[in-house]
Structure formats: C-alpha cells, structure tokens
Amino acid sequence: MTTTKAGGRALQVTTPSDREIRITRSFDAPRQLVWDAYTRPELLKRWLGAMPGWSWAVCEMDVREGGRYRWVWRGPDGAEMGLGGEYREVVPPERLVTTEKYDQAWYPGEAVGTVEFTERDGRTTLVTTLRYDSKEARDAVVQSGATGGMEMGYTALDTLLASIAAA
Amino acid sequence: MPVSWPKLGAESPPASRGLTARPVVHNLLAMQPIGYGNLTPARLDATFAALADPTRRAILARLATGEASVRELAEPFTMSQAAISKHLKVLERAGLISHGRDAQRRPRKLEAAPLAEANEWLERYRQFWEESYGRLDELLEEMKRTAKPRASGRRATSKRKGRRER
C-alpha cells in the first residue's frame, strides 16, 4: 500500500487481486455532494481531467443502469482523447459501476470501474476499484505490455527508488 | 472512473506482492493531455518489464552505488553468474545499464535516462489524477456552501428522470 497526503486527505493505493487496483481517497463533504460531482455532467466537467491546454469537447452521460456515457477532451494541435462506456449499477449516493473503454485503447474489451461512496461524520470516503471484466482482456493487456507493464513498473519503480534513496 | 496516484517515493513503498501485472486503463487519459508523445512507448514498456523483477531491481539498486562486475553483482544472490547474466541482458536491452570500458571485468553501470523517463511518465500520470481530485476538493467546498440553504430534501437523483430503474 502506498499512502500520500493530498491537501491533508490521505490517498491510498492497494492491489486487492491481480486483476484489480483499488484507490481510496476521502473528501471533506457529504457523499451526496461527491455523488453529484461524479454523476452530473456540469459538475464532472469542472474537475475531471481538465489539464492546461485541454478542454472538454463532449460530455454526455445518461446516468442510469444501462445508460451510456461519452467523454471527449480536445487538446493542443487538434489532439483528441475520448472514452465511453455503460453505467452498470447506479445506486445513489452509494455505488456506481461503469464499464470504460478508451477510443485509442490498444487492448480488447472493457474495464469495469466500481466507485463506492461511504459517509462518516460528514466526510466521504471514495473507494475506486478497477477490474478487467475477463481474464482474456486482462491477459491481452498484459501481453501488449504497456498498461500491465506500466502498473508493474509503477510499483516496482517506487520500490526501487526507495531502495536507492536508502542506499 | 478516475484514479488518483500517490507521489513517487511516498513514505511506505509497496511490498513486492504488488508486482504482479495489474492493468490500468487510464494510461491514455493520463499520457495524452500531458504530451506523452515525446516518450517512446516501446522503450517505456521495456523499462517497466525490466523493473518488474525483484532480482533486476536489486541489481539496479546495487549499480546505483557504483559500477560492478558480473561476479560482484552475483555475490549477494543465491544465483549462478549465468542466471545473473540473463537478468543483465534484460536490463541492457531496456537501456537501463551499460558496459564499462574495461574489457576484462566488463563492469556494468546504471543508465539514468530511461529510469528518469519512466519516472517522469509516472509522475505526470499521478499528477493528472491528483490535480483532478484537487479540483474536486475545491468544487465540493463550493457545493457545500451553495447546497446548505436548500440541503433538506435535496436529491440529485430527482433532477434526472429515468435515472434509476429500481
């Protein structure tokens, strides 16, 4: 597990299984508000992915079970980046399960992201779990190298740099 | 849905059990807005694949302290020099190490550039999500202020028809 502080709010990354990665982050707000920020396009657009030089081109989301979403960002030199998927479970303000696939993805299949909203004392803990929906898709990603290797590399590099720093 | 990443070198590095491959689907989202184009995916793949093995990381950590011959590198491990040489080949192909000039000893040394490149990629990747969550913090503060007067009975779900079937 890796922990860091983000504005005084602890962020954790864990790996519950070899098909999953789990990110935990808490927010100083009731979960209804966090839920809204995740499910209402006018709010989502204000926080998700708006890097300098990039802006939202498409933000369509039909937040109900079976509904679809489509997000596209436009960047410098006409670059575009998009993803979309389906809302599989919508249980406000507790649980959101979506599939997701990037336009430029080089792997087959979709990933499933589960976001769980838990409130305690007016604070919301957000647990995001990413999981490939089939072993085949996971394996394909791993074989393609980049994404699987990236995550391996992320963990490995952290460890390596820590050991180098300690040396 | 969004993923946020911790800063590199956070206080508790992940244990080695985390080294199995876990797909991450947000790479493109992270890399493209930040101008990933100048880094070569193939090279990053090679770097990360090379880093995925604990023995190879140990070798790199050793080389971070200075050049070493194959024999010297093999010493701390219960492994033959041949096995170590195999690992060295992987590291070499990834550009993470190179040969020294001494033809006899052929000392290996660490090449910093690919590591720095990989680090940069990861750092930007994490930054992307940290920034998103940081903006979410700000947005929530704003929402708390504006939501309070009409907090009672306020349900986002009522704003969209057909939002939930059951």
Side-chain angles (χ1 to χ4, degrees):
Chain A
M1 192 199 320
T2 301
T3 304
T4 189
K5 296 285 181 186
R9 297 159 176 87
L11 182 148
Q12 295 179 331
V13 180
T14 57
T15 51
S17 80
D18 64 357
R19 289 171 62 184
E20 294 173 304
I21 183 162
R22 179 168 294 155
I23 298 92
T24 306
R25 167 74 141 82
S26 67
F27 295 89
D28 188 17
R31 68 176 175 178
Q32 181 65 56
L33 295 189
V34 184
W35 174 269
D36 288 355
Y38 260 80
T39 53
R40 290 169 52 182
E42 74 275 19
L43 296 175
L44 185 82
K45 282 164 79 171
R46 289 186 51 192
W47 68 270
L48 180 64
M51 296 292 279
W54 286 76
S55 59
W56 282 87
V58 178
C59 181
E60 295 168 354
M61 40 206 289
D62 182 12
V63 190
R64 60 192 167 95
E65 284 167 10
R68 300 197 66 84
Y69 70 95
R70 169 104 183 114
W71 300 334
V72 179
W73 288 266
R74 198 158 290 143
D77 306 320
E80 231 176 51
M81 198 243 337
L83 77 154
E86 183 188 336
Y87 289 95
R88 284 206 176 156
E89 285 180 52
V90 180
V91 188
E94 300 171 11
R95 184 176 159 86
L96 195 60
V97 180
T98 59
T99 63
E100 53 188 27
K101 186 173 172 67
Y102 286 85
D103 295 354
Q104 300 91 337
W106 58 91
Y107 52 87
E110 297 176 319
V112 178
T114 300
V115 190
E116 290 161 296
F117 305 70
T118 316
E119 183 178 326
R120 194 177 168 185
D121 300 328
R123 289 178 64 81
T124 301
T125 300
L126 209 60
V127 179
T128 303
T129 307
L130 277 164
R131 183 172 180 275
Y132 272 82
D133 57 0
S134 74
K135 191 176 183 307
E136 289 67 32
R138 199 290 301 262
D139 289 349
V141 170
V142 173
Q143 278 156 20
S144 78
T147 47
M150 203 57 74
E151 175 52 24
M152 285 192 288
Y154 157 69
T155 310
L157 189 60
D158 233 11
T159 311
L160 173 67
L161 293 179
S163 67
I164 288 175
Chain B
M1 292 308 284
V3 174
S4 192
W5 293 89
K7 289 278 180 214
L8 198 65
E11 47 268 40
S12 49
S16 55
R17 55 108 181 98
L19 294 174
T20 47
R22 292 174 306 278
V24 173
V25 294
H26 294 292
N27 292 342
L28 281 164
L29 184 54
M31 71 174 75
Q32 297 206 353
I34 54 167
Y36 172 66
N38 56 340
L39 303 176
T40 58
R43 175 156 158 176
L44 280 171
D45 279 357
T47 300
F48 287 127
L51 287 171
D53 181 89
T55 303
R56 290 197 288 271
R57 290 199 302 279
I59 290 171
L60 289 173
R62 164 66 186 84
L63 290 175
T65 68
E67 292 186 358
S69 68
V70 177
R71 193 172 54 78
E72 287 162 344
L73 287 170
E75 267 169 14
F77 301 102
T78 51
M79 235 182 243
S80 66
Q81 283 191 35
I84 291 295
S85 289
K86 249 183 170 173
H87 283 304
L88 292 175
K89 273 202 186 95
V90 175
L91 291 169
E92 226 162 274
R93 273 202 300 271
L96 287 163
I97 64 170
S98 63
H99 281 120
R101 292 201 174 269
D102 185 336
Q104 291 271 299
R105 231 173 121 245
R106 290 166 59 81
R108 300 325 201 262
K109 65 174 188 174
L110 188 67
E111 289 295 329
L115 270 181
E117 197 173 78
N119 190 16
E120 182 189 2
W121 192 96
L122 292 162
E123 187 50 44
R124 288 178 172 187
Y125 176 70
R126 278 187 294 279
Q127 235 172 38
F128 176 85
W129 290 106
E130 277 200 340
E131 282 175 20
S132 283
Y133 271 164
R135 281 191 298 270
L136 179 53
D137 282 331
E138 288 168 23
L139 174 63
L140 289 168
E141 286 305 313
E142 189 186 313
M143 289 168 74
K144 277 196 288 188
R145 285 196 300 273
T146 56
K148 259 172 195 156
R150 52 191 171 98
S152 58
R154 181 176 178 274
R155 300 278 298 181
T157 49
S158 66
K159 299 205 169 195
R160 200 172 289 125
K161 58 185 177 208
R163 184 182 179 112
R164 207 184 147 211
E165 304 295 340
R166 54 176 167 78

